[in-house]
Structure formats: C-alpha cells, structure tokens
Amino acid sequence: MFALLCKRWNINILEREVAVTIHDIAKAVGKSYSTVSRALADHPRISEKTKNKVVAAAKELKYYPSFNAKALRRGKTNTIGMVIPDIINPFYTEYLRVAEQVCLQKNYQLLVMEYSLDSNRQRDCLKKILENGCDGAIVFIQEPVIIDDLVEEFCDRNIPVVNGLGGVGDWNRIVINFAKGIETAID
C-alpha cells in the first residue's frame, strides 16, 4: 500500500530509507516546504484549500511529525530520563507509573533505563540521558561511584535532576511527596 501511495505521489520508494517527510508532502502537492509546514501547523496565512490538500496528502502518505526534527528546532526534547536500579522491583515500578502519568499530562515522554545494580551500567545510563538531550532526570542512584564528573555535567548543562535515594552533589532529593517532586522536575 505504501509503495502504491508513493508511486501515486511521485515519490521514489527506492530512494527512501526513512519515513515520509514534509519535503515529500511538498513535492506531492507542488508547494514549498515552508507552505506545507505552515499548513500542517494550521497557520492563518495559508488558505483552507491549501491546508486541506496538504492534510489529505499527509494522511494518505501516512506522515507523522518527526520528534527529532521538532526537538532540534526547539532545542528541547520534551523527554525526561529515568534511571532505576531494578525495573521488576515493585518499589520502583510505582515511581515509574507515577512519573509516566505526569509526563503524559505535561506532553513529555519518559526514557526509562535500568542499571541492574551495576555501577558501570549506572554510569552508562546517566551518560545516555546526556546524549539524548533529556530536559530533566529522575534517578535512583544507589552507589554514587565515579559519577562526580557526570553530576557536574548535568549542572553545567542546567539539567534538573531529582535523586530518589539520597543526595548526590548538587542534585535534589525527594523526601516525602514523590509525585509532586516528579511533577516539579518536569516543570
């Protein structure tokens, strides 16, 4: 079906290794990239006829906005990293459940990583949060072994971090109201 739609809209599927982009829609409807972008954003300067044509093409080509492109353009990922020691431990799954609920309410996604009580993996998880450009982090660091440089990196990048198990460096600590602490970290 996708191949037929690409053929109809004159998009060479053999050249495509990624999802449909705004550029593909622009080519299909004979409009500029910026016009398509504005049409999809329901900009008032774009006519209803053009908006309808663009939206129809986007729907037919099964276009989904690129999360990465939006994040790059805005300089914000709307992602909160969460590092837990053991994902099957009910103690942590409750925090995970609450964090996910709050993230969804605030239009954030939650990137969850488990380090299985391995201090090397714990460090790798913290690095992944930095690499993914997360806007904040909720961590449960049990052994603050060899992470001083990472704590400093989080502070230098002004990434808010809440540690659920104790004070590490300049990171805040959740003490009583866990749900409110997570919500505050996201805000």
Side-chain angles (χ1 to χ4, degrees):
M1 180 67 167
F2 181 71
L4 292 173
L5 289 172
C6 286
K7 185 175 181 181
R8 176 178 172 201
W9 290 102
N10 197 24
I11 297 170
N12 187 346
I13 193 166
L14 297 176
E15 295 174 0
R16 304 254 13 114
E17 291 186 12
V18 295
V20 173
T21 67
I22 289 179
H23 294 284
D24 297 323
I25 297 169
K27 183 178 178 183
V29 297
K31 299 290 181 182
S32 71
Y33 165 85
S34 57
T35 298
V36 171
S37 178
R38 287 185 185 109
L40 291 171
D42 199 23
H43 194 280
R45 288 182 48 203
I46 305 298
S47 72
E48 287 302 314
K49 180 181 175 185
T50 299
K51 285 180 192 177
N52 292 339
K53 187 176 181 180
V54 167
V55 168
K59 186 175 181 178
E60 193 168 349
L61 289 170
K62 295 184 178 10
Y63 166 77
Y64 290 94
S66 168
F67 174 80
N68 292 332
K70 280 184 180 180
L72 187 61
R73 187 174 62 250
R74 289 185 325 222
K76 184 176 179 185
T77 63
N78 276 47
T79 303
I80 301 295
M82 186 169 193
V83 178
I84 56 178
D86 183 6
I87 202 160
I88 61 172
N89 183 328
F91 178 79
Y92 298 108
T93 55
E94 179 61 21
Y95 291 107
L96 176 58
R97 185 184 64 76
V98 171
E100 185 174 40
Q101 286 175 349
V102 173
C103 282
L104 287 172
Q105 290 170 0
K106 303 281 184 177
N107 198 28
Y108 275 74
Q109 63 182 355
L110 191 62
L111 173 64
V112 181
M113 292 168 279
E114 172 195 29
Y115 61 88
S116 301
L117 301 172
D118 177 334
S119 53
N120 289 329
R121 279 184 60 183
Q122 171 182 274
R123 184 174 174 76
D124 291 341
C125 290
L126 293 171
K127 285 167 119 178
K128 283 290 180 200
I129 290 174
L130 292 168
E131 290 169 7
N132 283 288
C134 292
D135 298 327
I138 304 160
V139 299
F140 293 88
I141 301 301
Q142 293 200 338
E143 295 179 50
V145 177
I146 320 170
I147 62 167
D148 287 342
D149 60 323
L150 292 177
V151 172
E152 189 174 316
E153 185 70 25
F154 276 89
C155 293
D156 289 348
R157 292 187 187 190
N158 203 23
I159 299 171
V161 179
V162 178
N163 185 12
L165 296 176
V168 175
D170 292 330
W171 290 353
N172 294 320
R173 179 175 183 214
I174 301 173
V175 178
I176 296 172
N177 189 344
F178 292 97
K180 187 64 178 171
I182 291 168
E183 186 174 15
T184 301
I186 291 170
D187 287 341

